[in-house]
Coordinates of all heavy atoms in Angstrom, one line a residue:
D232 N 63.8 184.7 66.6 CA 64.8 185.6 66.1 C 66.2 185.2 66.4 O 67.1 185.3 65.6 CB 64.5 187.0 66.8 CG 64.7 188.1 65.8 OD1 64.3 187.9 64.7 OD2 65.2 189.1 66.2
L233 N 66.4 184.7 67.7 CA 67.7 184.3 68.1 C 68.1 183.1 67.4 O 69.2 183.0 66.9 CB 67.7 184.0 69.6 CG 67.7 185.2 70.5 CD1 67.6 184.8 72.0 CD2 69.0 186.0 70.3
V234 N 67.2 182.1 67.3 CA 67.5 180.9 66.6 C 67.9 181.1 65.2 O 68.9 180.5 64.7 CB 66.3 179.9 66.6 CG1 66.5 178.7 65.8 CG2 65.9 179.6 68.0
Y235 N 67.3 182.1 64.5 CA 67.6 182.3 63.1 C 68.5 183.5 62.9 O 68.5 184.1 61.9 CB 66.3 182.5 62.3 CG 65.6 181.2 62.1 CD1 64.5 180.8 62.8 CD2 66.1 180.3 61.1 CE1 63.9 179.5 62.6 CE2 65.6 179.1 60.9 CZ 64.5 178.7 61.7 OH 63.9 177.5 61.5
K236 N 69.4 183.7 63.9 CA 70.4 184.7 63.7 C 71.4 184.2 62.6 O 71.8 183.1 62.5 CB 71.2 184.9 65.0 CG 71.9 186.2 65.0 CD 72.3 186.6 66.4 CE 73.3 187.8 66.2 NZ 74.4 187.8 67.0
R237 N 71.7 185.1 61.7 CA 72.6 184.7 60.6 C 74.0 185.3 60.8 O 74.2 186.4 61.3 CB 72.1 185.2 59.3 CG 70.7 184.6 59.0 CD 70.4 184.4 57.6 NE 69.1 183.8 57.4 CZ 68.9 182.7 56.7 NH1 69.9 182.0 56.2 NH2 67.7 182.2 56.6
V238 N 75.0 184.5 60.3 CA 76.4 185.0 60.3 C 76.9 185.1 58.9 O 76.6 184.2 58.1 CB 77.3 184.1 61.2 CG1 76.8 184.0 62.6 CG2 77.4 182.7 60.6
S239 N 77.7 186.1 58.7 CA 78.2 186.3 57.3 C 79.3 185.3 57.0 O 80.1 184.9 57.8 CB 78.8 187.7 57.3 OG 79.5 187.9 56.0
T240 N 79.3 184.9 55.7 CA 80.3 183.9 55.3 C 81.6 184.6 55.0 O 82.6 184.0 54.9 CB 79.9 183.3 53.9 OG1 79.6 184.4 53.0 CG2 78.6 182.5 54.1
G241 N 81.6 186.0 54.8 CA 82.8 186.7 54.5 C 83.2 186.6 53.0 O 84.2 187.1 52.6
V242 N 82.3 186.0 52.3 CA 82.5 185.8 50.8 C 81.6 186.8 50.1 O 80.3 186.7 50.2 CB 82.2 184.4 50.3 CG1 82.3 184.3 48.8 CG2 83.2 183.4 51.0
K243 N 82.2 187.7 49.4 CA 81.4 188.8 48.7 C 80.4 188.1 47.8 O 80.7 187.3 46.9 CB 82.4 189.7 47.9 CG 81.8 191.0 47.6 CD 82.9 192.0 47.2 CE 82.3 193.2 46.7 NZ 82.5 193.4 45.2
G244 N 79.1 188.5 47.9 CA 78.1 188.0 47.0 C 77.4 186.8 47.5 O 76.3 186.5 47.1
L245 N 78.0 186.0 48.4 CA 77.4 184.8 48.8 C 76.2 184.9 49.9 O 75.2 184.2 49.8 CB 78.5 183.8 49.4 CG 78.0 182.4 49.8 CD1 77.4 181.7 48.6 CD2 79.2 181.6 50.3
D246 N 76.4 185.8 50.8 CA 75.4 186.0 51.9 C 74.0 186.3 51.2 O 73.0 185.8 51.7 CB 75.8 187.1 52.8 CG 77.0 186.8 53.7 OD1 77.3 185.6 53.7 OD2 77.5 187.7 54.3
E247 N 74.0 187.2 50.2 CA 72.8 187.5 49.6 C 72.1 186.3 49.0 O 70.8 186.1 49.1 CB 73.0 188.5 48.4 CG 73.5 189.9 48.8 CD 75.0 190.0 48.9 OE1 75.6 189.1 49.6 OE2 75.5 191.0 48.4
L248 N 72.8 185.4 48.5 CA 72.2 184.2 47.9 C 71.7 183.2 49.0 O 70.9 182.4 48.8 CB 73.2 183.4 47.1 CG 73.7 184.1 45.8 CD1 74.7 183.2 45.1 CD2 72.6 184.5 44.9
L249 N 72.2 183.4 50.2 CA 71.9 182.6 51.4 C 70.8 183.2 52.2 O 70.5 182.7 53.3 CB 73.1 182.3 52.2 CG 74.3 181.5 51.6 CD1 75.5 181.5 52.5 CD2 73.9 180.1 51.3
G250 N 70.2 184.3 51.8 CA 69.2 184.9 52.6 C 69.7 185.7 53.7 O 69.1 185.8 54.8
G251 N 71.0 186.1 53.6 CA 71.6 186.9 54.7 C 72.8 186.2 55.4 O 73.5 186.8 56.2
G252 N 73.0 185.0 55.1 CA 74.2 184.3 55.6 C 73.9 182.9 56.1 O 72.8 182.4 55.9
L253 N 74.8 182.3 56.9 CA 74.6 181.0 57.4 C 73.8 181.2 58.8 O 73.9 182.2 59.4 CB 75.9 180.3 57.7 CG 76.8 180.1 56.5 CD1 78.2 179.6 56.9 CD2 76.2 179.2 55.4
L254 N 73.1 180.1 59.2 CA 72.4 180.2 60.5 C 73.4 179.9 61.6 O 74.2 179.0 61.5 CB 71.3 179.2 60.5 CG 70.1 179.4 59.6 CD1 69.1 178.3 59.6 CD2 69.4 180.7 59.9
L255 N 73.3 180.8 62.6 CA 74.2 180.7 63.7 C 74.1 179.3 64.4 O 73.0 178.8 64.6 CB 73.9 181.8 64.7 CG 74.7 181.9 66.0 CD1 76.0 182.5 65.7 CD2 73.9 182.7 67.1
G256 N 75.2 178.7 64.7 CA 75.2 177.4 65.4 C 74.9 176.2 64.6 O 74.7 175.1 65.1

Side-chain angles (χ1 to χ4, degrees):
D232 216 40
L233 282 177
V234 173
Y235 283 102
K236 197 164 172 224
R237 300 214 177 231
V238 301
S239 172
T240 56
V242 174
K243 202 163 168 248
L245 184 57
D246 291 348
E247 292 88 313
L248 297 180
L249 296 172
L253 301 173
L254 292 173
L255 180 77

